[in-house]
Amino acid sequence: MTDRAAAPNTAFLASLRPALEGLAVPRKAAGMAAYMKSAMPFLGVPSPVVRQAVRALARKHGFTGPPELLATAQALWAGAEYREEHYAAIMLTDSRMARGELGFLPFYTAVIGQGQWWDYVDSVAPRLAGLLLAERAAMDPLLREWSTHANFWFRRAAIISQLPAKSATDTELLHDVLVPNLAEPEFFIRKAVGWALRQYARTDPDWVLDFVGRYRARLSPLSRREALKHLG
């Protein structure tokens, strides 16, 4: 991906909101906002339906390459009036064009820093695994830095960044982003610690059992329960 700035895909942007409005169930909107504790309103479109709409419109209004895709995601995020539009911006980056592209990192950083809620953070965190595999020299120190960030949402992103990595998980990095957060009282961090361990236990249960044994006294009961959930 080059550093050349690109214009967003205006046809995609112009089509998205009318498409979402046509799929909305307005009576669900208030409940969705209440559940997510969102000041930004919802249209009332379930996430799977938003994803289907994004994919259909991306096929109809094709993207010329990663720069245009990034510019479109950024414009959609910045101009969103409904939370589903924020979701759509993140969903765009699930495209093959975006995978492993370090140029998308500022967008992911903006989503975490501006969104500051679990639905946003948990949606972009898996993208970081692809960046780590493609750009380890840049991403390894960044994730270590985020693991002690003053904003705990960046810490959560670092902790769960390798959820989809499976056998490609960097266990040294996983260890090093978990340990500074073991004593953190924040629920979303304790849950993230347990989630990261539980997920990796599917690949290497012995590593997780060893980690829990070594740090049992420092792990919160919540994190420990989550980590051992499927290990008996």
Side-chain angles (χ1 to χ4, degrees), residues 47-78:
S47 287
V49 178
V50 176
R51 187 176 299 279
Q52 291 170 5
V54 168
R55 288 175 175 171
L57 290 175
R59 287 193 297 268
K60 183 177 181 180
H61 307 291
F63 291 86
T64 59
E68 185 185 45
L69 183 69
L70 174 59
T72 306
Q74 290 173 325
L76 183 54
W77 175 269

Side-chain angles (χ1 to χ4, degrees), residues 179-199:
V179 170
N181 291 284
L182 297 184
E184 170 61 54
E186 169 58 52
F187 168 81
F188 286 106
I189 294 299
R190 291 186 170 190
K191 191 75 171 179
V193 168
W195 187 11
L197 291 168
R198 185 182 79 228
Q199 184 72 5

Side-chain angles (χ1 to χ4, degrees), residues 15-119:
S15 301
L16 181 65
R17 188 178 295 170
L20 293 179
E21 288 173 339
L23 296 166
V25 183
R27 60 183 171 78
K28 292 186 176 182
M32 293 168 73
Y35 173 74
M36 207 54 68
K37 300 180 180 178
S38 175
M40 174 177 276
F42 277 80
L43 282 165
V45 187
S47 287
V49 178
V50 176
R51 187 176 299 279
Q52 291 170 5
V54 168
R55 288 175 175 171
L57 290 175
R59 287 193 297 268
K60 183 177 181 180
H61 307 291
F63 291 86
T64 59
E68 185 185 45
L69 183 69
L70 174 59
T72 306
Q74 290 173 325
L76 183 54
W77 175 269
E81 295 182 15
Y82 298 95
R83 205 170 182 97
E84 290 95 338
E85 291 174 307
H86 271 170
Y87 294 161
I90 297 169
M91 289 169 183
L92 274 176
T93 66
D94 196 33
S95 165
R96 290 182 181 179
M97 287 185 184
R99 293 175 193 171
E101 290 282 354
L102 195 59
F104 283 74
L105 181 59
F107 173 69
Y108 303 144
T109 303
V111 171
I112 297 167
Q114 296 170 19
Q116 297 201 49
W117 198 238
W118 65 265
D119 56 339

Side-chain angles (χ1 to χ4, degrees), residues 41 117 121 174:
W117 198 238
V121 175
L174 178 60

